[in-house]
Amino acid sequence: MRSPDWRSPGDYKGLQSLDAPGFAWEYLRRNPDFVRDRAKLEHATRQGPLNDGDADAFARRWGCEFPILSENADTASVRWKAEALPSVIALVRQPENLADSSFQLPSHLVRLLLASGAGDYVIERQGAVLRVHVTDAQLPAVILPLDRLFDIRAATALRLWRSLTGRNPGPSPAALSQARRDRLIAALRALDGRLEGASYREIADALFDAGSITGHDWKGHDLRDRTIRLVRFGRDMMRGDYRRLLLHPFRRKS
């Protein structure tokens, strides 16, 4: 897959369908340190079995599991750690005294979970992309920590239950508004331009059609400040603020 041309808005049109974790991946995969860390582990796997400590350190630093299939991996297939993404649903063995003998999940779904074993998985059901961390799939139950992200976890767990039982899962809590998607895409284009060595003026020309602004006016023009802010926003997202997207729609309160 070729890299998008940051001058062309059409090259980014496909990003309009992304949710918050999808945009988080788009920013993370542009991070040079992340690219180097991933390349080191990929090289190590070619030499022999990967050291568990190295894989764990990678996951702790970046919030996602290794291996990642490719730099351009499908955003839905990225296995985010449960600690980084509250919409990862933790499945454990259900306490026997809470078991409801009158209700059972469809047998083919139980077989699917049992065959998967412990680990992190992406499940697509009823048009929904659901991420689960399986500890024990025997009579599965969901862990819902009573923390600041409880409402997000509960909404996601309810979507899983609805989809597994053949119902409409309902809206995703990770969905973004049109205005938010537009800004994230504009910042990606600005970031890509800057990573290629483009000047702020060149980026503004591509994003805001600023070609008619004279050199003298450019120095104090609002579009110059807007472009610089957009590049800085994109760079901050790439360097670590992508983790804030993983917490969407949580809003930190001061």
Side-chain angles (χ1 to χ4, degrees):
M1 181 184 294
R2 70 180 180 85
S3 299
D5 179 358
W6 61 270
R7 298 173 184 82
S8 171
D11 277 14
Y12 295 76
K13 190 175 181 179
L15 303 185
Q16 282 288 351
S17 63
L18 294 183
D19 58 6
F23 275 107
W25 169 246
E26 285 296 324
Y27 281 100
L28 174 58
R29 73 182 185 87
R30 288 163 165 79
N31 186 307
D33 292 334
F34 171 78
V35 172
R36 281 193 291 270
D37 279 0
R38 191 190 66 240
K40 288 178 182 178
L41 292 192
E42 289 173 346
H43 176 74
T45 58
R46 290 193 289 270
Q47 308 306 309
L50 185 64
N51 183 287
D52 288 343
D54 292 338
D56 290 344
F58 178 91
R60 285 195 303 272
R61 181 177 185 185
W62 303 112
C64 59
E65 292 276 4
F66 183 86
I68 295 168
L69 298 181
S70 72
E71 180 181 351
N72 297 302
D74 178 3
T75 57
S77 68
V78 177
R79 294 177 299 149
W80 296 103
K81 294 291 290 180
E83 307 92 279
L85 182 64
S87 57
V88 173
I89 306 160
L91 298 180
V92 297
R93 180 186 289 267
Q94 181 176 251
E96 291 185 7
N97 62 324
L98 293 180
D100 180 1
S101 60
S102 65
F103 174 81
Q104 288 186 338
L105 289 173
S107 58
H108 69 283
L109 294 176
V110 174
R111 288 195 299 271
L112 173 64
L113 291 172
L114 292 176
S116 300
D120 295 277
Y121 303 95
V122 177
I123 299 175
E124 295 191 34
R125 296 284 301 174
Q126 305 293 326
V129 176
L130 301 152
R131 297 172 173 86
V132 297
H133 174 77
V134 179
T135 300
D136 190 333
Q138 294 277 1
L139 296 174
V142 174
I143 291 182
L144 291 176
L146 292 172
D147 59 11
R148 60 181 183 169
L149 302 171
F150 176 82
D151 54 344
I152 302 174
R153 302 185 200 277
T156 308
L158 184 57
R159 294 185 80 230
L160 174 66
W161 180 77
R162 285 173 173 165
S163 63
L164 291 180
T165 55
R167 306 184 187 190
N168 185 335
S172 169
L176 298 166
S177 67
Q178 182 66 59
R180 189 92 182 268
R181 293 197 302 271
D182 288 344
R183 184 167 187 249
L184 288 167
I185 289 173
L188 275 172
R189 291 179 62 197
L191 174 64
D192 286 347
R194 200 62 177 169
L195 291 175
E196 285 190 11
S199 67
Y200 292 127
R201 179 61 188 266
E202 290 172 325
I203 294 171
D205 287 349
L207 268 64
F208 306 119
D209 194 21
S212 61
I213 302 173
T214 65
H216 180 269
D217 292 339
W218 167 250
K219 293 181 180 179
H221 202 280
D222 174 67
L223 281 183
R224 178 178 181 274
D225 295 335
R226 185 178 173 187
T227 302
I228 292 174
R229 289 195 301 269
L230 201 58
V231 169
R232 288 176 178 170
F233 173 76
R235 185 173 290 153
D236 287 345
M237 292 293 291
M238 177 186 71
R239 289 176 174 172
D241 282 357
Y242 67 88
R243 284 182 175 264
R244 291 164 48 197
L245 273 176
L246 296 177
L247 301 181
H248 176 83
F250 172 75
R251 299 289 188 189
R252 186 182 300 276
K253 296 179 176 63
S254 58

